[in-house]
Amino acid sequence: MKRIFISIWAHLSFAHRIFIAISFSLLFAGGLILIMLTKQDAQDALHDLEMQKEQTLKMLPIFLSEAIVIGDYETIQQQLNGYITSPYVQNIVFYDATGKSLQSSDTEEPKDAPQWFETLFGLYDSYGQTHISVGGIDYGSIAVRLSIQSFSNRIWNDFRVHFGVMFAIILLDFLGLWLTLYRSLEQLSALEQSTIDLGNGYFAPIQLQGGLRETAKVVNAFNLMIQKVKTTQVELQETSNEMKQRKHWIETILNSLDEGVYAIDSNGTILLANAKACSILGYTEEELIGQQAHRLFHSHTLNGDIIPLEECPIYKALVTKSAWKDDTEYFTCKDSRMIPVEIFGNSIVHEDQALGMVFAFRNIEERKALEEKMKLLSTALEATTNAVIITNKDAIIEWVSKGFEEITGYHLGEALGRTPHELVGSGKQEKIFYTHMWETILSNQPWHGEVINKRKNGQLYYESLQITPVSDDHGNITHFIAIKEDISDRKRTEEEMEHLAFYDPLTDLPNRRLLMDRIERAIVSAKRYQTFGAIFFLDLDYFKRINDELGHDVGDLLLQDMARRLKDSLRQGDSIARLGGDEFVILLEDLGDTKIFATQYMKALAQKVQDAFIDPFIYNEKSYSLSISLGGILFTGTQDAKIILKNADSALYEAKQTGRHKSCFYNETK
């Protein structure tokens, strides 16, 4: 039986257990109170019955004493019958001295209270007996029995009423408790369902409809928790969405990088690899994740030998938690191909604790090949005698060859970070020269020209310069390459040849070729500005005789001295040329726009030239007096150079015919 009860009790819910416990507690308390009240009533009834018995025993001897003394038994019987009408006195017996008895009994009241009730509360009839003594004489005794029945019935009826009231109250309490528990259980059930729903991600607050205040507090607290959980879930969802978006962005960024990226934990196990890393190594992401990078693709050397883990510089960087960079490493691809890589690694630190390392690397096969080519080109450039300069787009020098140092005197350390113009600019070129040069190279076109530059020691030199722009794939200029050649010797040779072509080697005066060019330009200028010019033909009188007598050496000295005296007689800007032998030509330009003034000036200059030969020429301490003949002509922009020279020659001829040491002027009216 006990096991059955324990089994039933174990299967009851907590709410049912509370309900049963409360119900039995109320029942027990109510029953206890009712028993205590009934017991108190029983005690009061017994007390009253006892008092009534004592009162009866006290009063009966007095009431019967007279009849007893005279022995009037009939009166005694009558009196006993009259006294028995008391509701409590059930039986009275009179015993006289002789033992004769008189008895009077009343009809017993119907018995309502059950025997167990009377026994339970000790409800019994009361018996008593007293002696009758008058004047010291014993006349007998009186015995009475008082019935408890009326008390018992009343107490029983009260007990039933009280029990009914108590039962009703308990029933009402039970009902109220049941309703309260039902509502509370309803709320608890709703709380249970809401908890299940909460676990399934559905947030529904419990609607309060009565119930216990404590349960209401729990429900309110639960609803508040739901609200907070819901708010937290929204925040977590937003955070999750943000984290997902960030993760997506990070993955997108990592996969967009042109470098391979992979991360390892503290044991060297690969945790992450981007798309470029997979592409370079030839593995899929799944094939890389979870593998040890050192065993999978670290090679370090071109022959593919895998060095011990303890000697691996990447592992050492992982152990020492330090940044690491190298461009001499080799990785082994999935297809066993060895590739040179440039790699950079740094520690992954969280809350001052190193969790691993992240590496960025790139395949530098092309760069290595390019470096070899550049090394070859650099060797070739260093071998050339020409100067080679590489600048950035702002003309800042980044590299120069040894030829640059040999030509300019500046070594690489002095040149880096400066512009070529800073180092070798001479200031001999006009601004328009450099403007044209920059317009050409900035339009992405090569430029070639000749420049007068200055060496480190200040010496000027001629330079043949070629500048070629270098552009990226988008056509943006990134560098300039300049090739310089010292052409000073060539320029000197060219200048000497040009001088010989246009100047007389003996007097260093312009020759006929240069003179004709200047006359042509003078005619053009005279035509443009409506001015006059003049030409003089002149020669030394009797020069052939002097040359024959004194020799060609003295003749050459006379011609050179003659050229100097003629130069000193002219204005700056006037030209004098030697046509050959002792024939000289003077060209005068810009003699004004009036013929009178031009004629006067021409004649005055002719006289000045004649006066220059008044002083004798002295050679080897010997004095030689010489004179000249001169023929002149005015010209304008409407005349031909050859005709002008011809007419001037005619004027000279006329001067010689008139006796030499004369000046004649061509007259167009002849």
Side-chain angles (χ1 to χ4, degrees):
M1 188 68 180
K2 182 178 179 181
R3 291 181 179 179
I4 295 174
F5 174 78
I6 292 174
S7 176
I8 294 173
W9 180 261
H11 285 81
L12 291 176
S13 66
F14 178 72
H16 288 115
R17 292 178 184 180
I18 292 177
F19 175 74
I20 291 172
I22 293 174
S23 298
F24 277 103
S25 296
L26 290 175
L27 184 62
F28 176 77
L32 184 62
I33 292 172
L34 181 59
I35 290 172
M36 291 177 64
L37 290 175
T38 305
K39 190 173 183 179
Q40 184 64 42
D41 287 345
Q43 290 176 353
D44 291 343
L46 290 173
H47 181 267
D48 290 344
L49 189 64
E50 190 67 26
M51 291 294 292
Q52 189 68 35
K53 181 189 71 172
E54 292 177 359
Q55 183 69 25
T56 301
L57 291 176
K58 184 179 180 181
M59 293 301 296
L60 277 176
I62 297 173
F63 184 72
L64 297 175
S65 61
E66 183 178 352
I68 291 173
V69 171
I70 64 174
D72 188 357
Y73 289 98
E74 184 177 355
T75 301
I76 293 172
Q77 186 66 54
Q78 290 177 353
Q79 288 180 344
L80 288 177
N81 292 336
Y83 201 83
I84 203 67
T85 57
S86 171
Y88 303 109
V89 179
Q90 189 68 34
N91 182 263
I92 300 175
V93 179
F94 170 69
Y95 298 97
D96 61 7
T98 62
K100 182 182 178 180
S101 63
L102 296 176
Q103 180 176 340
S104 177
S105 298
D106 193 8
T107 305
E108 289 190 8
E109 186 176 345
K111 188 174 183 179
D112 295 329
Q115 185 62 42
W116 64 266
F117 181 79
E118 292 178 347
T119 303
L120 178 64
F121 292 101
L123 294 173
Y124 302 103
D125 292 344
S126 180
Y127 295 91
Q129 185 174 357
T130 185
H131 290 277
I132 300 174
S133 176
V134 178
I137 301 173
D138 186 9
Y139 289 97
S141 63
I142 297 176
V144 296
R145 179 172 70 90
L146 276 71
S147 175
I148 196 66
Q149 196 62 50
S150 61
F151 286 104
S152 179
N153 289 341
R154 178 178 59 79
I155 293 173
W156 168 251
N157 291 330
D158 290 343
F159 177 81
R160 287 190 301 174
V161 171
H162 291 160
F163 182 80
V165 171
M166 183 195 73
F167 184 80
I169 292 173
I170 291 175
L171 184 62
L172 291 175
D173 288 341
F174 178 83
L175 182 60
L177 181 62
W178 169 257
L179 290 175
T180 303
L181 286 176
Y182 177 78
R183 292 293 180 86
S184 300
L185 289 174
E186 199 174 39
Q187 291 179 343
L188 290 174
S189 177
L191 182 62
E192 179 186 10
Q193 185 60 44
S194 295
T195 305
I196 295 173
D197 293 340
L198 179 62
N200 294 328
Y202 176 72
F203 303 98
I206 302 172
Q207 301 298 326
L208 291 176
Q209 295 180 356
L212 294 175
R213 184 174 60 181
E214 290 73 12
T215 308
K217 289 181 179 180
V218 174
V219 171
N220 288 332
F222 182 81
N223 288 341
L224 181 61
M225 181 191 70
I226 284 181
Q227 187 62 37
K228 289 184 178 180
V229 170
K230 189 174 182 180
T231 303
T232 304
Q233 187 196 39
V234 172
E235 294 174 353
L236 288 174
Q237 186 63 41
E238 292 175 354
T239 303
S240 176
N241 293 337
E242 184 179 353
M243 293 298 292
K244 288 179 180 178
Q245 187 176 10
R246 287 184 180 180
K247 181 182 178 183
H248 174 71
W249 272 106
I250 291 173
E251 290 177 349
T252 302
I253 292 171
L254 285 176
N255 290 329
S256 300
L257 292 176
D258 197 39
E259 293 84 12
V261 176
Y262 71 94
I264 60 176
D265 62 14
S266 56
N267 297 318
T269 303
I270 300 174
L271 304 174
L272 173 148
N274 72 344
K276 190 64 176 180
C278 298
S279 174
I280 293 175
L281 297 173
Y283 291 97
T284 64
E285 184 179 1
E286 291 74 16
E287 290 174 324
L288 289 175
I289 302 300
Q291 297 296 320
Q292 254 219 347
H294 180 76
R295 287 199 299 266
L296 188 63
F297 55 81
H298 287 181
S299 297
H300 307 292
T301 58
L302 186 58
N303 59 15
D305 294 338
I306 299 178
I307 65 175
L309 180 64
E310 296 75 16
E311 300 177 14
C312 173
I314 299 177
Y315 179 76
K316 289 180 179 179
L318 174 65
V319 173
T320 58
K321 304 177 179 64
S322 58
W324 177 74
K325 183 178 181 180
D326 196 6
D327 60 355
T328 62
E329 295 294 319
Y330 284 84
F331 282 177
T332 304
C333 298
K334 185 178 180 180
D335 58 5
S336 301
R337 183 168 48 91
M338 304 291 300
I339 59 170
V341 294
E342 179 183 40
I343 184 168
F344 173 79
N346 209 345
S347 294
I348 303 172
V349 180
H350 178 68
E351 296 181 353
D352 296 330
Q353 183 179 0
L355 305 179
M357 289 193 75
V358 60
F359 296 94
F361 70 96
R362 63 171 64 207
N363 184 351
I364 56 173
E365 281 180 308
E366 294 182 0
R367 195 183 82 183
K368 288 285 187 181
L370 183 60
E371 286 176 354
E372 291 297 324
K373 289 183 180 179
M374 290 299 295
K375 184 177 180 181
L376 181 62
L377 289 174
S378 178
T379 303
L381 290 175
E382 292 292 354
T384 182
T385 57
N386 291 341
V388 180
I389 304 173
I390 299 176
T391 73
N392 63 13
K393 63 179 181 180
D394 298 317
I396 304 299
I397 295 175
E398 295 184 352
W399 183 85
V400 296
S401 68
K402 289 184 178 179
F404 179 83
E405 181 177 352
E406 294 173 358
I407 292 175
T408 66
Y410 292 99
H411 57 74
L412 177 62
E414 295 174 302
L416 292 178
R418 304 175 70 182
T419 64
H421 188 72
E422 266 186 274
L423 297 175
V424 298
S426 66
K428 297 295 183 180
Q429 262 70 41
E430 298 180 355
K431 290 184 178 180
I432 189 67
F433 174 86
Y434 290 107
T435 300
H436 173 69
M437 180 190 76
W438 278 105
E439 286 177 351
T440 302
I441 61 178
L442 289 178
S443 64
N444 230 334
Q445 298 296 322
W447 178 88
H448 182 269
E450 294 181 356
V451 187
I452 300 176
N453 278 338
K454 183 174 64 176
R455 306 185 202 276
K456 184 178 180 180
N457 60 10
Q459 179 185 6
L460 298 178
Y461 69 98
Y462 281 95
E463 179 180 270
S464 175
L465 175 62
Q466 180 174 336
I467 303 176
T468 302
V470 179
S471 304
D472 58 19
D473 295 337
H474 303 288
N476 300 316
I477 296 175
T478 60
H479 293 81
F480 294 105
I481 298 177
I483 300 177
K484 297 170 172 282
E485 180 184 3
D486 186 352
I487 58 171
S488 299
D489 293 340
R490 190 184 78 189
K491 290 297 289 185
R492 280 193 293 271
T493 301
E494 290 177 354
E495 288 175 358
E496 290 174 1
M497 292 180 65
E498 183 179 3
H499 196 77
L500 290 174
F502 293 98
Y503 288 86
D504 175 52
L506 179 63
T507 62
D508 201 33
L509 294 177
N511 59 15
R512 179 184 294 273
R513 184 178 179 183
L514 182 56
L515 175 66
M516 292 302 295
D517 181 68
R518 290 184 177 180
I519 292 174
E520 293 288 351
R521 288 191 284 108
I523 293 173
V524 173
S525 177
K527 182 178 181 181
R528 178 182 299 172
Y529 299 108
Q530 298 294 311
T531 58
F532 287 90
I535 289 180
F536 291 101
F537 256 71
L538 59 94
D539 62 10
L540 283 173
D541 294 331
Y542 306 110
F543 175 73
K544 185 177 183 303
R545 186 177 63 186
I546 295 172
N547 202 27
D548 292 340
E549 292 178 359
L550 302 178
H552 291 286
D553 293 338
V554 174
D556 290 344
L557 292 174
L558 285 174
L559 291 175
Q560 291 173 349
D561 202 358
M562 178 182 176
R564 284 192 292 272
R565 292 191 183 190
L566 289 174
K567 284 182 180 179
D568 294 339
S569 301
L570 300 179
R571 301 173 303 174
Q572 187 176 4
D574 292 339
S575 297
I576 181 171
R578 181 186 177 216
L579 300 184
D582 62 341
E583 290 183 337
F584 292 84
V585 176
I586 297 174
L587 171 63
L588 305 177
E589 296 184 62
D590 195 17
L591 298 181
D593 57 358
T594 61
K595 188 174 182 179
I596 295 175
F597 175 81
T599 302
Q600 290 177 348
Y601 183 84
M602 182 178 64
K603 290 179 178 181
L605 181 63
Q607 185 60 47
K608 184 177 180 181
V609 171
Q610 290 285 5
D611 293 343
F613 288 88
I614 294 176
D615 295 332
F617 295 91
I618 299 174
Y619 300 108
N620 297 327
E621 298 180 355
K622 292 183 180 182
S623 178
Y624 302 97
S625 295
L626 298 176
S627 64
I628 62 171
S629 297
L630 188 147
I633 183 174
L634 288 176
F635 67 87
T636 62
T638 60
Q639 297 165 305
D640 182 70
K642 292 181 180 180
I643 295 175
I644 294 172
L645 287 175
K646 180 180 178 182
N647 291 337
D649 189 37
S650 297
L652 174 62
Y653 180 77
E654 183 179 349
K656 286 182 175 289
Q657 291 296 322
T658 57
R660 301 181 185 272
H661 192 50
K662 299 289 183 180
S663 297
C664 292
F665 303 98
Y666 181 79
N667 188 352
E668 295 181 359
T669 60
K670 288 183 178 181

